[in-house]
Amino acid sequence: MVERQKLQVDLAHKDFYPDFNVQYMWQRTDPTQFRAYYMLTFGVRVPIYRGRKQRPELAQAEAELSRSHSESEVQSQRVAFDCVANTKPLRRPPSC
């Protein structure tokens, strides 16, 4: 769970940077009627909603990471307590 939340935080950080893409398409058509069809496309996605969208998403991802750390700590403490509570002493200390 914690690893998944770390990946969410990393993804939220990456949303602050632009995305670039290149696409190439080729379509074979009937050579007697049409020529082959080629298309090359370049694209850029620029994050313009930095203050309204990316920062709140980053804050939410960081809060969920903190929550998952806390839940993990609670679970480990619960297991440790159960282990201590379920073990019985092997012998009693002598009474005076």
Side-chain angles (χ1 to χ4, degrees):
M1 185 75 161
V2 175
E3 291 299 319
R4 188 173 111 197
Q5 296 304 327
K6 285 181 184 178
L7 291 174
Q8 287 291 93
V9 170
D10 290 342
L11 185 61
H13 278 288
K14 289 179 182 178
D15 278 344
F16 283 91
Y17 300 107
D19 294 331
F20 300 95
N21 66 19
V22 177
Q23 297 175 348
Y24 174 74
M25 187 174 78
W26 172 69
Q27 183 177 5
R28 183 181 167 104
T29 58
D30 184 15
T32 60
Q33 294 180 353
F34 304 104
R35 294 180 10 192
Y37 179 72
Y38 301 96
M39 185 167 66
L40 182 63
T41 306
F42 298 99
V44 177
R45 184 181 148 260
V46 179
I48 59 174
Y49 299 108
R50 182 176 220 138
R52 289 187 288 170
K53 186 177 177 187
Q54 278 95 0
R55 285 193 185 129
E57 286 178 357
L58 177 61
Q60 179 182 1
E62 288 173 342
E64 289 177 3
L65 176 63
S66 176
R67 182 184 54 83
S68 66
H69 276 297
S70 298
E71 287 177 359
S72 175
E73 182 65 27
V74 165
Q75 185 68 22
S76 65
Q77 288 179 359
R78 185 175 293 146
V79 168
F81 176 77
D82 288 344
C83 289
V84 170
N86 290 334
T87 58
K88 296 179 182 177
L90 296 176
R91 51 182 185 163
R92 295 179 106 177
S95 59
C96 295

